[in-house]
Amino acid sequence: METLAHIAEGFIGLFKEGGKVFVSLLTGIIPTLITLITAVNALIKFVGQERIERFAQKITGNIVLRYTVLPVMAVFFLTNPMAYTFGRFLPEKYKPAFYDAAVSFVHPILGLFPHANPAELFVYMGIAQGIQKLNLPLGPLAIRYFLVGIIVIFLRGIVTEKITQAMLARRGSEL
Amino acid sequence: MAYRTVKVEKGEGGWGGPLYITPTEKRNKIACITGGGIHPVAQRIAELTGAEAVDAFKTSVPAEEMACVVIDCGGTARVGVYPKMGVLTVDVTPTFPSGPLMAFINEKNFVSGVKPKNVILVEGSEEVAHEKIETAPSREAQVIAPSVPQEVPRRSFIERIGRGMGGIVAIFYQAGRETVDQVIRNIIPFMAFVSTIIGIILYSGIGNVIAKIIAPLAGTLPGLLLISLVCALPVLSPLLGPGAVIAQVVGVLVGVEIGRGNVPPQFALPALFAINPQVGCDFIPVGLTLGEAKPETIEIGVPAVLFSRQITGPIAVIIAYLFSFGLY
């Protein structure tokens, strides 16, 4: 009988521990998340999609802006997965590179702007909650994730653009 | 009197539709309930269809005489009342189905965020096709289409402020509604899943086993490079991508080990890139289609992105590693 009680206690203990984690996430993250996402959602509505698209079209020609500002804007304003629709402003040969840059930014943005991809929040939050557990501030990690993210998507854009061009050349195809 | 059909599409940020509105002898009124006056959208629907626009704020219109109703509801009462009564509803604010009558709102009876330009005359509709033979209504349509809605009656200063404030509040309200919806549908379910895993790891001692695997991989640069190399393999990356579930679960495992002190905290940054070189690799054709790419572009784009990741995945880890100095 006593052994059974021990097993039951251990069994419940697993989920008591899980419950503690759940409550700490609910009270620690959700309130900030809700107000932050509400503010950003409202901002996006105030700016309006048309204005954003007009600006996006202007910066497609520059190779640096094409794989930094354009994808960051796309992910911030249109969020995952509608961000990829900005590809339509680009010539065919740049589309794979733009997609690569944009999709690679849907996680680095999460530390600062979780509205962009709330369904995949835990790519960032999973690691971040370890940092929180150590009572270290999250700000430095979030900002560095964002900045390194921009460097990485720029690099990805360039590399994928070159690979696409090489593959097109090998095919003798003009897109 | 022959009525014409208009197609009303959802506007920016809107929902529902497109609605096809054809007035009949009985249902011949475009009821406008936007706090007084005829809204430009109601005006345009009336002009294009040939029906009469009525300010239903001043004169009441029986529901069975309405060809459609134009409202400016931010999402509580009116938004559901007319769909429930079986009246096609055009909402000029970008509202999503909500409120106590939400269940009655669907894409066939409701469209929102509508601006005058979203109202289009349907030329291919059956009635028009019949007329076409004699009267060539397509030319007629061209004449009607660009006509500017009649000037909206001037509003008093106070009324304009009131409407402006109402608009701002409506936007915040809608933003809040979308946020809570996202949190409930997307974030909290994953939190429940994550909490359960973490609870089991922490309480059962499985954590010690996982630590033996994770710590040397996530706590050293060669280990992280190995993870990123494997995850970026073109045969694996499309399989690891969907929903970023793998990245999220591995992220949680690494996070737990950071919290327990088995992985140094400054490795959080390179780890974020190491566990995720496969991001979006499952989604390349869909993402390119969203960008309106041609089939040939997609054919080349898929291997180009996959191959690029094999190179840029590990490089990203190195860059992040360099940027992690002085982090914690």
Side-chain angles (χ1 to χ4, degrees):
Chain A
M1 200 62 209
E2 227 163 87
T3 350
L4 274 178
H6 269 297
I7 291 172
E9 220 168 89
F11 179 74
I12 292 299
L14 287 177
F15 303 105
K16 269 195 181 152
E17 189 69 34
K20 268 190 233 158
V21 176
F22 186 65
V23 169
S24 82
L25 288 176
L26 272 188
T27 55
I29 295 170
I30 293 282
T32 323
L33 216 55
I34 285 184
T35 45
L36 173 62
I37 296 179
T38 301
V40 176
N41 277 349
L43 173 77
I44 292 170
K45 285 177 202 290
F46 280 124
V47 177
Q49 197 164 330
E50 278 170 38
R51 229 171 291 169
I52 295 159
E53 287 184 356
R54 236 178 296 143
F55 182 77
Q57 275 168 332
K58 282 188 199 147
I59 59 171
T60 55
N62 182 301
I63 187 165
V64 177
L65 299 181
R66 185 161 67 229
Y67 301 124
T68 55
V69 178
L70 188 64
V72 171
M73 263 181 64
V75 173
F76 180 88
F77 285 107
L78 301 189
T79 75
N80 184 28
M82 291 315 285
Y84 318 126
T85 58
F86 268 14
R88 71 184 190 277
F89 300 140
L90 294 167
E92 292 290 321
K93 59 180 174 181
Y94 298 147
K95 283 180 181 177
F98 170 76
Y99 168 77
D100 200 2
V103 82
S104 295
F105 205 66
V106 299
H107 298 129
I109 200 172
L110 286 175
L112 296 178
F113 303 110
H115 74 282
N117 193 9
E120 297 174 1
L121 188 62
F122 272 88
V123 174
Y124 167 74
M125 200 48 84
I127 286 185
Q129 55 88 24
I131 300 290
Q132 259 180 332
K133 192 108 191 240
L134 297 175
N135 289 321
L136 291 169
L138 276 185
L141 179 63
I143 191 81
R144 287 189 199 211
Y145 193 22
F146 192 89
L147 293 177
V148 176
I150 293 177
I151 298 172
V152 167
I153 62 171
F154 175 60
L155 185 84
R156 262 189 199 156
I158 304 280
V159 172
T160 308
E161 185 183 306
K162 294 281 176 269
I163 294 175
T164 312
Q165 266 162 6
M167 290 174 76
L168 283 173
R170 198 168 357 139
R171 276 194 173 197
S173 157
E174 284 281 328
L175 270 178
Chain B
M1 158 123 205
Y3 293 107
R4 290 174 294 267
T5 302
V6 290
K7 178 181 173 195
V8 182
E9 290 173 331
K10 67 178 173 189
E12 205 179 284
W15 187 91
L19 300 184
Y20 291 89
I21 298 170
T22 319
T24 61
E25 288 301 329
K26 191 150 182 304
R27 287 180 175 271
N28 60 1
K29 294 195 173 65
I30 311 296
C32 184
I33 312 179
T34 51
I38 305 286
H39 192 278
V41 168
Q43 185 68 38
R44 183 159 163 84
I45 296 176
E47 270 172 32
L48 294 185
T49 56
E52 181 194 356
V54 181
D55 180 358
F57 210 66
K58 294 200 179 106
T59 7
S60 103
V61 180
E64 55 273 17
E65 286 180 21
M66 294 178 180
C68 74
V69 61
V70 176
I71 57 172
D72 64 347
C73 180
T76 39
R78 270 174 292 168
V79 77
V81 169
Y82 293 99
K84 183 172 186 293
M85 289 197 287
V87 179
L88 296 177
T89 305
V90 177
D91 194 341
V92 298
T93 49
T95 305
F96 280 55
S98 61
L101 297 173
M102 182 177 156
F104 296 98
I105 303 169
N106 62 48
E107 278 148 332
K108 293 208 170 65
N109 62 21
F110 181 84
V111 61
S112 71
V114 177
K115 295 205 170 76
K117 66 168 191 225
N118 302 119
V119 182
I120 306 153
L121 190 68
V122 178
E123 290 178 46
S125 72
E126 223 171 302
E127 298 89 331
V128 181
H130 284 307
E131 281 180 357
K132 213 168 199 164
I133 304 160
E134 305 147 349
T135 58
S138 60
R139 205 184 303 150
E140 188 190 354
Q142 276 167 4
V143 177
I144 295 171
S147 81
V148 188
Q150 277 169 21
E151 207 181 317
V152 188
R154 290 204 132 194
R155 296 194 178 117
S156 74
F157 180 64
I158 300 219
E159 199 182 337
R160 260 182 292 158
I161 289 189
R163 273 175 194 271
M165 284 302 292
I168 292 171
V169 171
I171 284 181
F172 267 106
Y173 189 23
Q174 178 65 26
R177 191 181 296 131
E178 280 169 26
T179 305
V180 170
D181 199 44
Q182 272 176 339
V183 167
I184 290 177
R185 272 192 321 184
N186 294 323
I187 298 181
I188 292 186
F190 211 88
M191 269 184 182
F193 167 49
V194 165
S195 311
T196 314
I197 293 183
I198 296 181
I200 293 174
I201 291 174
L202 291 182
Y203 193 81
S204 67
I206 298 174
N208 297 329
V209 182
I210 296 175
K212 286 209 181 79
I213 306 163
I214 296 268
L217 278 174
T220 62
L221 182 58
L224 288 173
L225 283 173
L226 182 68
I227 297 179
S228 72
L229 271 172
V230 172
C231 290
L233 285 175
V235 284
L236 266 184
S237 56
L239 303 176
L240 297 176
V245 174
I246 305 265
Q248 296 192 81
V249 171
V250 177
V252 169
L253 295 179
V254 173
V256 169
E257 296 311 322
I258 289 176
R260 296 172 77 210
N262 292 330
V263 172
Q266 67 271 23
F267 273 84
L269 188 62
L272 281 166
F273 287 92
I275 63 174
N276 209 16
Q278 73 277 15
V279 53
C281 282
D282 56 312
F283 204 69
I284 306 169
V286 191
L288 286 172
T289 307
L290 284 171
E292 292 169 18
K294 289 183 190 148
E296 198 188 349
T297 310
I298 297 175
E299 216 174 286
I300 288 186
V302 173
V305 172
L306 293 182
F307 185 55
S308 163
R309 291 297 174 84
Q310 191 72 80
I311 303 166
T312 58
I315 294 177
V317 175
I318 293 172
I319 296 173
Y321 176 73
L322 295 177
F323 272 81
S324 74
F325 292 130
L327 177 54
Y328 288 114

